[in-house]
Amino acid sequence: MSSLLLFTGILSALTSTGYSLLCSHCNALGETSCTGDEKKCPSDDYMCGSTNTVTIMEGVASKMFTRSCEKRSACGISASIGFLKGKIKTATSCCNMDSCTPSMPILPIENFQKNGVTCQSCTSSDSYWCHTGETMECTGEEKRCIRQSTKTSGAKSSTIAVRGCATKNICDLGNQDHDYGRIKTITEMTCTSSSINVHHNLLLLALAALLSMKLML
């Protein structure tokens, strides 16, 4: 009975103080697992997460697997970004115990069905920003227009910007920063509904107003 009371007291103390998990932090190219140092998460709003990402650029695919503390809102996400030169597919799984190993994240299934949304699309490998007049027709669940920039520092340094179509769940994540041990990443994003359709509608309204003015003269 005393052991049960002791366990209950410890559990209550951990809950009341917002216990933070201890999770592995690492990254690996072309792998489906990695190992690294264990670190405490910032707060009890984080879980131990594994993220599987595949980036396809002009037909060439590269894979990245990472483990770190992940916000609970990111757990279970399976999302994608499409752009003229390729696609980014990513998925995150989580577990809720010290030093636990999440299950392998499952990437979203490809869907080539056009959904009626049109977005501007471009990529840049050395800037936070890219701008273009080129557009693309979105497919599947990618019903948001996105501008995303990612800065990587540490053992590997790079700055990448992409504009295109995105699933709602990746937009819901908002800006993110991760520490994988050897590298750190800061990702910023802005999502909107179909900007092309909005601009097109505004143009039609302006033309209609101009025509009405001419008829009144």
Side-chain angles (χ1 to χ4, degrees):
M1 186 68 178
S2 58
S3 297
L4 179 59
L5 290 174
L6 178 61
F7 174 77
T8 303
I10 294 174
L11 182 60
S12 176
L14 292 176
T15 303
S16 62
T17 57
Y19 178 72
S20 298
L21 292 178
L22 187 66
C23 303
S24 178
H25 289 64
C26 60
N27 72 287
L29 288 171
E31 302 292 339
T32 56
S33 65
C34 66
T35 57
D37 294 337
E38 293 186 334
K39 302 178 183 179
K40 281 282 186 181
C41 295
S43 71
D44 61 352
D45 191 40
Y46 289 77
M47 298 172 66
C48 296
S50 292
T51 299
N52 184 24
T53 303
V54 174
T55 301
I56 303 171
M57 180 72 74
E58 297 182 336
V60 179
S62 60
K63 300 179 180 181
M64 170 74 80
F65 185 89
T66 61
R67 292 183 64 190
S68 66
C69 296
E70 285 285 352
K71 288 186 177 180
R72 292 178 182 272
S73 58
C75 296
I77 289 291
S78 181
S80 63
I81 298 174
F83 47 97
L84 284 175
K85 294 183 179 181
K87 185 176 288 288
I88 300 170
K89 296 193 290 185
T90 186
T92 298
S93 59
C94 299
C95 54
N96 199 27
M97 293 179 63
D98 278 339
S99 308
C100 62
T101 301
S103 60
M104 182 64 186
I106 301 176
L107 295 173
I109 298 173
E110 195 74 64
N111 185 342
F112 297 101
Q113 182 68 41
K114 294 179 181 179
N115 58 35
V117 177
T118 302
C119 299
Q120 291 182 313
S121 180
C122 58
T123 57
S124 173
S125 58
D126 58 0
S127 173
Y128 283 108
W129 179 262
C130 68
H131 180 73
T132 180
E134 291 187 285
T135 63
M136 65 178 293
E137 295 181 274
C138 303
T139 60
E141 294 302 313
E142 295 172 2
K143 299 178 181 180
R144 298 288 189 276
C145 296
I146 190 172
R147 179 185 65 80
Q148 177 178 284
S149 60
T150 301
K151 180 180 180 181
T152 302
S153 59
K156 177 183 178 182
S157 298
S158 65
T159 302
I160 299 173
V162 61
R163 295 183 72 170
C165 309
T167 52
K168 181 180 181 298
N169 51 6
I170 199 168
C171 291
D172 290 343
L173 293 178
N175 298 339
Q176 305 169 67
D177 61 273
H178 289 92
D179 182 352
Y180 301 117
R182 297 179 64 249
I183 64 170
K184 297 180 180 180
T185 63
I186 298 176
T187 300
E188 298 179 354
M189 68 178 72
T190 301
C191 293
T192 63
S193 58
S194 179
S195 59
I196 305 304
N197 289 344
V198 171
H199 294 161
H200 180 66
N201 290 339
L202 290 175
L203 178 60
L204 289 178
L205 288 172
L207 290 174
L210 181 61
L211 179 60
S212 297
M213 292 177 63
K214 286 186 176 182
L215 291 175
M216 294 173 63
L217 294 177

